[in-house]
Amino acid sequence: MRLNDADRTELVVAAQAGDERAREQLIAAYLPLLYNIVGRALRGHADVDDVVQETLLRAVRDLPALRAPESFRSWLVSITLRQISTHRERQRAFAHRTEVIDEAHRIPDAAAQPHDMTVLRLQMSDERRQVVEAGRWLDPDQQELLALWWQECAGTLSREDLAAATGLTVAHAGVRLQRMREQLELGRTIVAALAADPRCAQLDETVVGWDGRPTSVWRKRIARHTRVCPVCTATAAERIPAERLLVSIAPLAVPAALVSALAAKGLLSGTAGVAGTAAGTAMSTAGLATGTAHVTAGATTATSGALIGKVTAVTAHPLVGLAAGAVLITGAATYAVWPEPAPRTPGAAAAPTASEPRSPERTVAPAATVPLGDRSLESVDRPGQFLTYDGDFATLGQVSADSSPQTRQRATFSVVRGLADSSCVTFRAADGRYLRHHYLRLRLSAPDGSDLFRRDATFCPRPGTAAGSVTLHAQNYPGSALRPRDGRIRLDGSNGTRAFTGQASFLVRGNWG
């Protein structure tokens, strides 16, 4: 099942009217999203399950009063953020009343941090490990923003959802996210500097007396050194953008114990609720309006109405194909690793043609090439829909000979040799802007002369599923391809399946203009 905006709104309206099945579908669909936001924001605290349960109980209680059913997702995330803040306030009050920290809080199995488990048990690249560790250096409010931004990068939240949930305008949300990213990049510098071998001698002097905990005080002290130290910042210029690293780490899996607890509270229908999860129905990320869910179930039995056994639900990242990647189970959480980018196939180069085609319908480019000149790209999965744009962002649109001149012009791009690699291609719109990927979305931007812009605007063709079709892979991240999803054109990690390739395939047509 795939929930689009209309389906989601219908479910909300039905749940408001007392339809228990609709309510359960909403809970099951959005449970992975809530669990990941809470888990990331609270850094895997032992109370994550309790906070998620409290959030859902409040959402069910207040659902009849929701006046705009179409805003359900941002409304639910807003409740989640309030519950996270309430939990932090309780923790601060507890800390003030307690002089000695209870050693039970330090039992690894009781309060294991998903960040730590990711770092210690997954064979991640250095930069993936560093960006996860860097998140621990963020202030608590910035950790909440990181949790939301993580979901935005994954495609489960939009910037509009994020802004509405935090009570900000889209512009103000962007400013706060930028500040969080700056603090995250500072954390990455600190993590890399501390891990260097040999470590900077002056940094060793700076951290004398440090207990190893990432606090704001020590972040500021270490940052004062790293900002002016060429040794500690030597690798910063070559970093992979954080958003690409975040989406390469699969989401936290919803623990079986939480599913059972929700069933016991009547929020999910007992054995049926868990069985639905194990079947991959209720826990589908279709409920998140993106991606697919894969579920691995352990043994489950029901005795006297109680749920006994263990079910490990693996909520697949929209950018992760579990069939192609490695899945590792670490304690209560399950992670999947995005396959490393494959090298670009030699010969997938752009080639000029002697003459222009007379119509889009009559010319198809040879396999794995995009001829230079004015071209249009038709979706293989959605015949008649062409790559076009609405404002700054690329999308798919219906185009025909009867379409307006403006519509046909927007579906036509000048194909030139790649700005960063002449064996690849770059697409320029009629207004002079270029197609580039930015925050994993395909958009139109004016050239700024930077090397990053040139690489972001360069795409390398590979064969698609249909004869003569191509998939377009980012030159600076060849393991990913442009794919229409949720009304947007996104840069998604290829999982190597024919289904993904089909969605990412385009037929190269002639000039609509």
Side-chain angles (χ1 to χ4, degrees):
M1 179 183 72
R2 180 179 180 79
L3 291 184
N4 55 35
D5 289 343
D7 294 335
R8 181 172 63 247
T9 301
E10 289 179 5
L11 277 180
V12 173
V13 172
Q16 287 179 311
D19 187 332
E20 293 187 2
R21 183 177 178 83
R23 185 198 67 194
E24 289 181 10
Q25 283 182 291
L26 283 173
I27 292 173
Y30 284 94
L31 180 56
L33 173 64
L34 297 191
Y35 187 80
N36 275 269
I37 291 174
V38 176
R40 302 296 186 192
L42 297 184
R43 295 173 53 194
H45 191 279
D47 293 342
V48 166
D49 287 14
D50 292 339
V51 174
V52 172
Q53 291 182 60
E54 290 175 6
T55 298
L56 289 173
L57 287 169
R58 289 180 179 273
V60 169
R61 182 196 68 185
D62 297 340
L63 183 59
L66 177 62
R67 295 183 178 181
E70 66 278 4
S71 66
F72 174 80
R73 182 165 55 196
S74 58
W75 174 78
L76 185 60
V77 173
S78 179
I79 294 176
T80 305
L81 296 179
R82 287 200 296 272
Q83 291 305 118
I84 291 171
S85 297
T86 299
H87 175 268
R88 285 206 166 107
E89 290 171 3
R90 290 172 182 166
Q91 291 299 111
R92 282 195 291 268
F94 176 79
H96 286 312
R97 294 194 306 268
T98 308
E99 294 182 0
V100 180
I101 298 176
D102 188 346
E103 290 300 319
H105 289 324
R106 298 187 181 184
I107 298 175
D109 290 339
Q113 296 184 9
H115 301 70
D116 295 337
M117 288 189 288
T118 305
V119 172
L120 296 176
R121 303 188 183 189
L122 289 182
Q123 296 302 312
M124 299 167 63
S125 68
D126 284 345
E127 289 199 56
R128 285 182 184 140
R129 174 181 56 79
Q130 288 172 2
V131 78
V132 171
E133 288 186 342
R136 301 171 60 191
W137 287 92
L138 296 177
D139 293 331
D141 60 334
Q142 301 285 41
Q143 289 175 1
E144 291 180 19
L145 275 178
L146 175 61
L148 296 178
W149 186 52
W150 202 317
Q151 299 307 310
E152 182 187 351
C153 292
T156 59
L157 285 180
S158 67
R159 179 61 59 86
E160 291 75 17
D161 289 331
L162 192 154
T166 53
L168 304 171
T169 64
V170 173
H172 192 188
V175 171
R176 288 194 59 190
L177 284 173
Q178 182 58 34
R179 291 172 181 167
M180 180 275 296
R181 292 187 65 194
E182 290 171 356
Q183 197 173 104
L184 182 65
E185 290 303 312
L186 176 60
R188 293 176 71 183
T189 299
I190 291 173
V191 169
L194 291 172
D197 186 17
R199 185 190 288 180
C200 170
Q202 292 181 345
L203 178 60
D204 276 335
E205 295 177 4
T206 301
V207 297
V208 170
W210 179 44
D211 62 2
R213 296 184 181 183
T215 63
S216 60
V217 172
W218 279 101
R219 183 187 67 230
K220 293 173 184 176
R221 290 182 183 178
I222 297 172
R224 279 197 294 268
H225 165 75
T226 59
R227 285 194 181 102
V228 297
C229 178
V231 175
C232 293
T233 57
T235 62
E238 302 300 324
R239 286 179 186 156
I240 296 172
E243 58 269 23
R244 293 188 187 132
L245 295 170
L246 293 178
V247 298
S248 70
I249 304 169
L252 306 173
V254 178
L258 176 56
V259 177
S260 299
L262 293 174
K265 287 181 168 61
L267 297 178
L268 292 175
S269 57
T271 305
V274 176
T277 302
T281 302
M283 294 297 292
S284 169
T285 33
L288 299 178
T290 59
T292 310
H294 302 262
V295 175
T296 304
T300 41
T301 58
T303 304
S304 302
L307 299 173
I308 303 175
K310 181 180 181 181
V311 177
T312 303
V314 182
T315 306
H317 194 288
L319 304 188
V320 177
L322 296 185
V327 180
L328 295 89
I329 299 177
T330 58
T334 305
Y335 296 88
V337 182
W338 197 12
E340 290 294 332
R344 185 167 56 86
T345 303
T353 55
S355 60
E356 293 297 323
R358 287 183 292 178
S359 70
E361 290 73 24
R362 295 182 61 180
T363 301
V364 177
T369 63
V370 179
L372 304 184
D374 289 343
R375 308 290 170 190
S376 57
L377 297 173
E378 181 181 9
S379 171
V380 168
D381 262 17
R382 305 175 188 181
Q385 293 195 22
F386 288 76
L387 180 66
T388 181
Y389 58 94
D390 181 12
D392 292 336
F393 292 96
T395 184
L396 286 181
Q398 196 76 27
V399 185
S400 68
D402 297 328
S403 299
S404 68
Q406 183 184 34
T407 298
R408 287 185 278 120
Q409 185 183 60
R410 288 190 172 190
T412 301
F413 297 89
S414 294
V415 181
V416 299
R417 293 193 180 277
L419 298 180
D421 184 344
S422 61
S423 68
C424 301
V425 293
T426 292
F427 298 88
R428 186 176 64 236
D431 61 7
R433 293 183 295 170
Y434 290 81
L435 287 176
R436 68 173 295 190
H437 62 85
H438 186 64
Y439 292 114
L440 302 179
R441 286 189 64 181
L442 186 65
R443 62 173 298 157
L444 281 164
S445 297
D448 59 14
S450 68
D451 181 59
L452 177 62
F453 179 92
R454 289 190 290 271
R455 289 185 282 125
D456 285 351
T458 301
F459 301 94
C460 303
R462 296 185 192 168
T465 52
S469 67
V470 297
T471 56
L472 297 170
H473 292 248
Q475 184 271 345
N476 51 355
Y477 206 77
S480 56
L482 297 178
R483 177 171 67 148
R485 181 155 60 84
D486 301 325
R488 308 168 181 175
I489 309 295
R490 299 185 63 88
L491 188 64
D492 278 358
S494 174
N495 58 24
T497 64
R498 184 173 178 82
F500 179 95
T501 305
Q503 295 166 8
S505 294
F506 293 91
L507 289 166
V508 183
R509 305 297 194 182
N511 180 1
W512 271 121

